[in-house]
């Protein structure tokens, strides 16, 4: 199996041989920052273009097809437009908080990249409480949204922010319980341990029906937490103009727009790691030859392939299901998903204690 340990170790050894430990830490931090920003920029361009193409396919039309082959430069043109567009601040707004809110949302998204294993031997921070870290940090994004809604001094923005807060806080419960099913089966909160535990099969296959139920609940909750249709009540155009970012324009709006797509990538990367083996290839029990062939595919391709498959699912939801009402959205969580998640967690605990999984 291909591993990036050799590359990361050679960079580490090269720096250690020439610089003090303090400068090594500083330079490695700068490298991580540059790579994270580059990843954000690339994902923003790719995911927006992909969303438009998926929407066009669902609606039997072409989508972007002018700038570049298959319209691949359309998002670059949109980015240039947003960079050149004037950023306006309403007269009655709290100027500091109004300008600060987009950065809160983006900083939270950047922090969530740390424990994710993008490939075999390529991870920013292999923390032993990775799952707990992700659950804690992801909860902070709602603060940026609430700040944006309140600081805008706009009733539509405030209503959108309050809706988003209620929605995110509610669906975090089901998402957290779904994640706990994998923690119970693995016996570890460390992301690398969760990936290694799926060496002989991904949890969605060897964890029986309860893990499939947890996976479905996780995808629904992740869609709601990222304010995606059919759960986009925080930005309902027919009711709230644009919700919490009604008053935003230019690059401040672009940061909110980018953060939404980055969060989609992050929740899908977490789902791929927990349920679909992360960078681990597809292995079938004792099928040695088959497993050996699967190992020839680079681990990064496995990881991004699974992640983009889940991203496609979430985009598919948007162009398939109609938007729910607020009461329907909250009823779905508190009356259905949460009780099912609690019972499912007990069932998975029983499976783990009795060692009934494959």
């Amino acid at each position: 199996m291909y591993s990036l340990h050799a590359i990361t170790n050679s960079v580490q050894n090269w720096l250690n041989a020439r610089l003090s430990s303090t400068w090594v830490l500083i330079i490695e931090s700068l490298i991580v920052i540059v790579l994270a920003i580059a990843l954000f920029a690339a994902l923003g361009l790719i995911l927006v273009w992909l969303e438009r193409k998926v929407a066009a396919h669902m609606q039997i039309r072409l989508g972007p097809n002018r700038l570049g082959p298959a319209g691949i430069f359309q998002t670059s043109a949109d980015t240039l437009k947003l960079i050149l567009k004037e950023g306006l601040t309403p007269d009655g707004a709290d100027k500091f908080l109004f300008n600060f809110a987009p950065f809160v949302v983006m900083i939270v998204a950047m922090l969530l990249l740390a424990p994710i294993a993008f490939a075999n031997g390529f991870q920013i921070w292999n923390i032993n409480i990775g799952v707990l870290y992700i659950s804690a940090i992801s909860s902070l994004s709602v603060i940026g949204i609430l700040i944006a809604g309140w600081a805008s001094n706009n009733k539509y923005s405030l209503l959108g922010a309050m809706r988003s807060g209620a929605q995110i806080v509610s669906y975090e419960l089901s998402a957290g319980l779904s994640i706990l099913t994998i923690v119970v089966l693995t016996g570890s909160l460390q992301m690398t341990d969760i990936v290694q535990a799926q060496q002989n099969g991904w949890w969605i296959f060897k964890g029986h029906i309860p893990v499939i139920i947890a996976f479905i609940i996780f995808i629904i909750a992740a869609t709601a937490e990222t304010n995606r249709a059919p759960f986009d009540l925080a930005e309902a155009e027919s009711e709230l103009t644009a919700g919490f970012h009604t008053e935003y324009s230019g690059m401040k709006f672009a940061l909110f727009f980018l953060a939404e797509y980055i969060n989609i990538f992050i929740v899908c990367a977490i789902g791929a790691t927990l349920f679909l083996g992360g960078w681990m290839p597809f292995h079938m029990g004792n099928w040695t030859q088959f497993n050996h062939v699967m190992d020839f595919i680079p681990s990064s391709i496995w990881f991004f392939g699974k992640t983009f498959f889940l991203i496609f699912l979430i985009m598919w939801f948007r162009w398939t299901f109609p938007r729910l009402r607020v009461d329907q959205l909250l009823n779905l969580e508190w009356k259905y998903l949460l009780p099912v998640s609690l019972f499912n967690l007990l069932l998975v605990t029983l499976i783990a204690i009795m060692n009934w999984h494959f």
Side-chain angles (χ1 to χ4, degrees):
M1 186 187 303
Y2 294 102
S3 173
L4 297 179
H5 280 294
I7 297 174
T8 55
N9 288 339
S10 62
V11 172
Q12 175 80 29
N13 295 333
W14 188 85
L15 290 174
N16 285 332
R18 290 163 174 79
L19 302 169
S20 65
S21 58
T22 303
W23 278 105
V24 169
L25 179 61
I26 292 171
I27 291 176
E28 287 179 344
S29 300
L30 290 174
I31 292 172
V32 168
I33 291 169
V34 171
L35 290 177
I37 293 173
L39 178 64
F40 271 39
L43 286 175
L45 296 175
I46 293 169
L47 292 179
V48 174
W49 175 83
L50 185 63
E51 171 97 83
R52 290 171 172 173
K53 282 297 184 181
V54 170
H57 178 73
M58 298 292 176
Q59 298 170 353
I60 317 177
R61 56 187 178 83
L62 295 176
N65 62 349
R66 290 289 187 270
L67 292 176
I72 58 174
F73 296 133
Q74 180 64 52
T75 48
S76 301
D78 292 338
T79 303
L80 180 61
K81 179 194 75 172
L82 288 170
I83 291 173
L84 298 176
K85 189 177 178 68
E86 181 182 3
L88 300 176
T89 303
D91 289 336
D94 185 318
K95 291 181 172 53
F96 173 74
L97 293 179
F98 183 83
N99 294 317
F100 182 60
F103 293 98
V104 173
V105 177
M106 283 298 296
I107 289 169
V108 170
M110 282 194 171
L111 290 174
L112 287 172
L113 290 177
I116 296 174
F118 294 94
N120 185 12
F122 192 82
Q123 187 177 14
I124 296 174
W125 189 19
N126 188 18
I127 183 174
N128 61 353
I129 53 169
V131 174
L132 179 61
Y133 171 88
I134 288 171
S135 300
I137 297 299
S138 62
S139 305
L140 299 177
S141 63
V142 70
I143 296 176
I145 293 173
L146 290 172
I147 290 173
W150 183 85
S152 296
N153 193 33
N154 181 304
K155 65 180 73 175
Y156 296 120
S157 299
L158 183 59
L159 283 171
M162 295 303 292
R163 280 187 181 184
S164 182
Q167 179 175 322
I168 292 173
V169 170
S170 298
Y171 279 85
E172 272 182 355
L173 298 172
S174 292
L177 291 171
S178 300
I179 290 172
L180 279 178
T181 60
I182 303 302
V183 173
V184 168
L185 290 170
T186 306
S188 175
L189 291 168
Q190 194 166 1
M191 300 295 276
T192 51
D193 290 345
I194 293 172
V195 174
Q196 292 294 342
Q198 301 175 77
Q199 189 168 5
N200 61 342
W202 304 342
W203 278 124
I204 197 169
F205 296 128
K206 66 177 185 174
H208 301 297
I209 294 176
V211 174
I212 297 175
I213 294 173
F215 175 71
I216 294 170
I217 292 173
F218 176 82
I219 291 297
I220 295 172
T223 306
E225 283 202 69
T226 51
N227 290 323
R228 295 279 301 179
F231 306 107
D232 58 338
L233 274 301
E235 310 168 15
E237 294 86 357
S238 57
E239 305 165 32
L240 302 177
T241 310
F244 60 89
H245 51 61
T246 297
E247 299 290 354
Y248 284 91
S249 61
M251 279 307 296
K252 289 192 284 287
F253 169 77
L255 289 177
F256 276 116
F257 193 64
L258 177 60
E260 177 182 329
Y261 283 96
I262 296 301
N263 286 330
I264 294 169
F265 172 81
I266 288 170
V267 296
C268 290
I270 294 167
T273 301
L274 298 177
F275 297 96
L276 304 178
W279 52 260
M280 189 66 68
F282 180 64
H283 288 165
M284 292 284 289
N286 296 320
W287 293 17
T288 307
Q289 293 299 324
F290 175 82
N291 296 342
H292 186 62
V293 171
M294 292 295 101
D295 288 340
F296 276 106
I297 302 175
S299 56
S300 57
I301 292 179
W302 280 109
F303 174 79
F304 283 101
K306 296 170 190 177
T307 302
F308 275 91
F309 168 72
L310 296 183
I311 290 172
F312 171 75
L313 278 183
I314 290 179
M315 290 180 177
W316 192 357
F317 294 161
R318 175 174 182 176
W319 304 105
T320 304
F321 299 108
R323 181 184 294 139
L324 301 178
R325 297 196 312 264
V326 176
D327 61 314
Q328 292 173 330
L329 181 142
L330 295 177
N331 281 340
L332 175 64
E333 164 61 18
W334 293 102
K335 292 185 178 179
Y336 299 99
L337 294 185
L338 184 58
V340 171
S341 298
L342 288 168
F343 177 77
N344 196 55
L345 181 59
L346 292 174
L347 192 56
V348 168
T349 304
L350 178 63
I351 289 173
I353 291 172
M354 302 302 293
N355 200 27
W356 286 343
H357 56 80
F358 294 117

